[in-house]
Amino acid sequence: MKNTANTVILVSSGTISGKRSRQVAQSELYARSLARFGGIMLLDGGFGSVETLADRADALLLSGGGDIHPSYYGRHMTGKDASVDQKRDEREWELLRQFCARKKPVFGICRGLQVIDVFFGGTLFQHLATAYVHENTIHTIITSEDGWLRPLLGETVPVNSYHHQAIRTLGAGLRVTAVSDADGVIEAVEHDSLPVRAVQWHPERMVDGLCRDTDAEMGPLFADFLSRIPQEGTG
């Protein structure tokens, strides 16, 4: 495996309105979590060649954010859709396509998990009936016995939760690797043949010395992500 020092991770981003122009916005906790394990965050500004970025970066982190436009999975806006940004949807779709074509590691966080599921043909619950379990709360997940998370986190672990949508049907090639113990909502997935993994919670807010929403330590998820970059990576 590749020595992770100076590994370049492209991190997707949202935008916010500024006084003179729209601004790229992202939590510094992504950069700090990656740096803890040798990675350097390259923030995608939403412009420029996706192909060039996919060639030069070693891996892709699809970050948290607002809802995906429901047209991506054959639905219509309901009025409960939060912070929909179709420009971001289009950009992340193409980023994911390019990184998967190169078989470079992808790690999805919260919104990122949902983007990955829809990209592979899955669908989402637009507003969970049990949203109260998942919106700005802490709850427990159960990891799959044969999945990637069990060796890293154990069988059960408390996680933070900042979402009201979730996977309804799985995309092609994806398998479930964790669920919520309260209502069975899918909390993590991995792809059968591509180096693509994702979680529904925010592990960057659960790293010792950076931010601790819960007592669980999520540093191993970032270490695992960086360790999956092969020697022929370009970082």
Side-chain angles (χ1 to χ4, degrees):
M1 303 304 291
K2 180 184 173 72
N3 183 337
T4 59
N6 299 322
T7 297
V8 176
I9 308 299
L10 183 69
V11 178
S12 64
S13 66
T15 58
I16 57 175
S17 297
K19 290 183 178 180
R20 296 178 178 83
S21 65
R22 289 179 65 81
Q23 300 175 11
V24 175
Q26 193 50 274
S27 168
E28 68 174 26
L29 291 173
Y30 291 107
R32 295 176 69 186
S33 297
L34 292 168
R36 174 70 62 86
F37 300 97
I40 297 174
M41 182 177 88
L42 173 63
L43 186 62
D44 178 44
F47 297 93
S49 169
V50 172
E51 291 86 351
T52 298
L53 288 170
D55 284 339
R56 294 183 178 179
D58 295 300
L60 172 67
L61 191 157
L62 292 173
S63 62
D67 296 341
I68 304 164
H69 196 285
S71 62
Y72 276 78
Y73 50 98
R75 300 280 180 165
H76 300 286
M77 298 283 281
T78 65
K80 294 183 177 180
D81 311 270
S83 303
V84 172
D85 182 346
Q86 287 187 270
K87 184 177 184 301
R88 180 177 183 179
D89 294 340
E90 294 168 4
R91 181 74 171 185
E92 289 186 340
W93 197 271
E94 184 61 16
L95 284 170
L96 186 51
R97 189 176 75 83
Q98 294 292 337
F99 275 82
C100 285
R102 292 159 175 76
K103 293 183 170 58
K104 291 186 175 183
V106 177
F107 185 28
I109 290 177
C110 199
R111 169 193 161 90
L113 173 141
Q114 297 170 13
V115 171
I116 286 168
D117 181 60
V118 173
F119 176 84
F120 286 107
T123 63
L124 304 178
F125 290 106
Q126 287 181 264
H127 188 75
L128 288 166
T130 54
Y132 60 89
V133 175
H134 301 276
E135 290 186 286
N136 300 308
T137 63
I138 305 296
H139 67 79
T140 301
I141 63 164
I142 304 169
T143 62
S144 300
E145 184 175 0
D146 60 348
W148 64 288
L149 286 171
R150 180 69 63 89
L152 300 176
L153 302 179
E155 182 177 356
T156 62
V157 60
V159 299
N160 55 27
S161 195
Y162 299 104
H163 64 103
H164 75 110
Q165 298 191 331
I167 291 175
R168 185 185 190 108
T169 58
L170 276 175
L174 296 177
R175 65 187 183 107
V176 178
T177 53
V179 297
S180 166
D181 72 338
D183 55 6
V185 161
I186 295 170
E187 293 281 339
V189 298
E190 64 182 322
H191 197 275
D192 286 340
S193 59
L194 294 169
V196 176
R197 295 176 176 179
V199 298
Q200 184 61 79
W201 64 92
H202 278 264
E204 80 282 3
R205 297 189 56 83
M206 302 167 64
V207 178
D208 189 37
L210 300 182
C211 184
R212 294 307 294 267
D213 279 356
T214 80
D215 291 335
E217 170 57 41
M218 293 292 159
L221 299 193
F222 292 98
D224 170 75
F225 176 40
L226 289 167
S227 74
R228 291 184 295 114
I229 298 170
Q231 191 66 45
E232 62 268 24
T234 58

